[in-house]
């Protein structure tokens, strides 16, 4: 492996690490915002608890339910 290949691999690892840290920071920020906002609005109980998670499937691209699974 040449020096250039090692250098390129190092940059790729650093980029992957930085992106992972950025993702984790954004997830933590969003979670804390989801907990803080209802408290500031004075919501409590089920209305103040962020329990519903959005599906990662866009609505228009969800796979069709088969008749055996659809209710």
């Amino acid at each position: 492996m040449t020096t250039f290949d090692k250098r390129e691999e190092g940059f790729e690892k650093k980029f992957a690490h930085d992106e992972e840290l950025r993702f984790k920071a954004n997830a933590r920020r969003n979670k804390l915002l989801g907990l803080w906002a209802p408290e500031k609005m004075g919501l409590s109980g089920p209305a103040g608890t962020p329990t519903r998670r959005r599906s990662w499937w866009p609505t228009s691209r969800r796979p069709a339910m088969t008749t055996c699974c659809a209710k």
Side-chain angles (χ1 to χ4, degrees):
M1 186 175 272
T2 66
T3 305
F4 183 75
D5 291 335
K6 289 179 185 176
R7 181 177 163 96
E8 182 181 10
E9 185 178 322
F11 278 118
E12 288 175 0
K13 285 183 181 180
K14 181 182 182 313
F15 178 78
H17 178 71
D18 290 346
E19 288 298 310
E20 182 180 0
L21 288 179
R22 180 177 293 128
F23 174 80
K24 287 180 179 180
N26 283 337
R28 183 170 189 263
R29 179 201 63 196
N30 292 343
K31 177 184 174 187
L32 292 174
L33 179 64
L35 296 172
W36 172 80
E39 180 183 321
K40 284 303 249 184
M41 294 172 18
L43 299 175
S44 62
T49 308
T51 56
R52 183 172 179 181
R53 293 183 180 255
R54 186 172 173 212
S55 171
W56 61 273
W57 284 98
T59 309
S60 62
R61 292 188 167 206
R62 285 193 182 154
M65 297 285 288
T66 60
T67 55
C68 66
C69 299
K71 289 187 178 184

